[in-house]
Amino acid sequence: MPDQIWLQNYPIHFAGCDFDARMTVVRISEKELLIHSPCEIDADTKSAISALGDVVYIVAPGTYHHLWVPSAQAAFPNAVTYICPGVERKRPELDFDWILGDRPPDAWADTFDQVLVRGNKLIWEVAFYHKPSKTLLLTDLIENFTDSTPNVNWVLMLWWKVVFRMWNHPKPAPEYQMGWKDKSAARKSLLKILDWDFDKIIIAHGDLIESNAREMAMKAWKKPLSAPEEQRQRGAA
Ligand SMILES: [Fe+2]
């Protein structure tokens, strides 16, 4: 959708792994922009974004997506900062205005719906649905590293292929897979997301999902989605 969403990849170095993350800039109104999962905002990035409109919201959408919020705040000091619950505990020094929940603030309710993904002990995020373009906007709830993904080093490739088995198989980030605590709560959140009429998915790591989006999401979330049934079966045995 032209003039509505802009993407910017930026490098991450984490536990020996090199890969890219993705910042998303979204137009909220004629002149207003929201930055989702900001990268470091250097002078060039600042002027590129400023040419699009005024940044009025900075969003740290997940408990692993807040690193460059201070850089965005310094570049756009009038913006209001929203964080995913849990970020305030991980980054107690971080300035913020509001904590995100299941209901979109009135200011962007025409543009986005949102859901806090519950049920995990290691990682939280707020999933967004961009209504005008039918796009699901996630951070780590699906990773999609494939043979076509650029800027990935051998360490990441080894772990994702051999240990996590999620190379060419979109799945939630390893923290999700190791941290499901209340799969019933997770399932409830994921079903809310699947209620949205999305046909593509912007994710923070790996290739964008531009076809078969719903099928890919359901396959990626198979474990938490099937949890209540498994629990019932165990109870009956
Ligand atoms: Fe991430």
Side-chain angles (χ1 to χ4, degrees):
M1 201 171 185
D3 202 35
Q4 294 292 312
I5 297 180
W6 297 267
L7 305 175
Q8 169 79 48
N9 284 14
Y10 59 98
I12 299 277
H13 311 284
F14 182 72
C17 297
D18 290 351
F19 54 104
D20 277 353
R22 187 172 280 119
M23 171 177 76
T24 305
V25 178
V26 180
R27 186 175 300 289
I28 296 295
S29 68
E30 194 184 338
K31 288 188 179 165
E32 295 179 329
L33 303 174
L34 175 150
I35 300 185
H36 175 276
S37 190
C39 63
E40 183 173 20
I41 308 293
D42 59 19
D44 286 349
T45 309
K46 181 181 172 178
S47 62
I49 294 174
S50 300
L52 304 171
D54 301 329
V55 175
V56 288
Y57 305 111
I58 296 166
V59 174
T63 49
Y64 284 81
H65 283 260
H66 47 75
L67 181 63
W68 296 111
V69 165
S71 171
Q73 290 170 329
F76 306 109
N78 296 324
V80 174
T81 299
Y82 284 79
I83 61 169
C84 174
V87 172
E88 79 285 5
R89 292 194 294 276
K90 282 185 90 171
R91 293 280 298 275
E93 83 291 358
L94 191 72
D95 281 333
F96 66 93
D97 298 284
W98 300 98
I99 294 182
L100 296 159
D102 283 323
R103 278 182 51 184
D106 290 346
W108 67 60
D110 288 342
T111 308
F112 283 117
D113 201 351
Q114 66 191 56
V115 163
L116 170 62
V117 180
R118 298 162 198 268
N120 200 285
K121 63 184 178 190
L122 298 178
I123 182 167
W124 284 30
E125 76 179 78
V126 175
F128 291 87
Y129 172 57
H130 185 249
K131 298 177 189 178
S133 66
K134 295 190 173 185
T135 304
L136 182 57
L137 177 53
L138 304 176
T139 50
D140 301 308
L141 201 50
I142 297 178
E143 291 183 345
N144 188 26
F145 290 108
T146 73
D147 296 338
S148 317
T149 308
N151 306 326
V152 173
N153 74 343
W154 69 270
V155 181
L156 181 128
M157 215 179 273
L158 184 71
W159 279 89
W160 261 242
K161 279 187 180 181
V162 178
V163 180
F164 301 130
R165 299 188 180 278
M166 45 193 287
W167 191 263
N168 292 325
H169 296 288
K171 285 185 189 173
E175 292 86 350
Y176 273 111
Q177 298 189 51
M178 294 184 289
W180 294 123
K181 181 182 70 172
D182 182 347
K183 285 189 184 166
S184 173
R187 182 175 191 268
K188 214 169 153 187
S189 305
L190 298 175
L191 288 177
K192 281 188 195 171
I193 296 174
L194 290 167
D195 261 352
W196 293 331
D197 184 25
F198 64 92
D199 57 18
K200 48 198 163 303
I201 311 175
I202 296 171
I203 52 178
H205 311 292
D207 308 348
L208 297 171
I209 297 168
E210 295 173 298
S211 59
N212 300 322
R214 177 171 303 276
E215 291 74 13
M216 281 177 80
M218 288 178 73
K219 200 172 168 192
W221 301 334
K222 194 175 161 192
K223 272 195 178 170
L225 282 175
S226 64
E229 196 182 337
E230 285 171 10
Q231 283 165 5
R232 279 202 298 275
Q233 284 171 355
R234 273 203 301 275

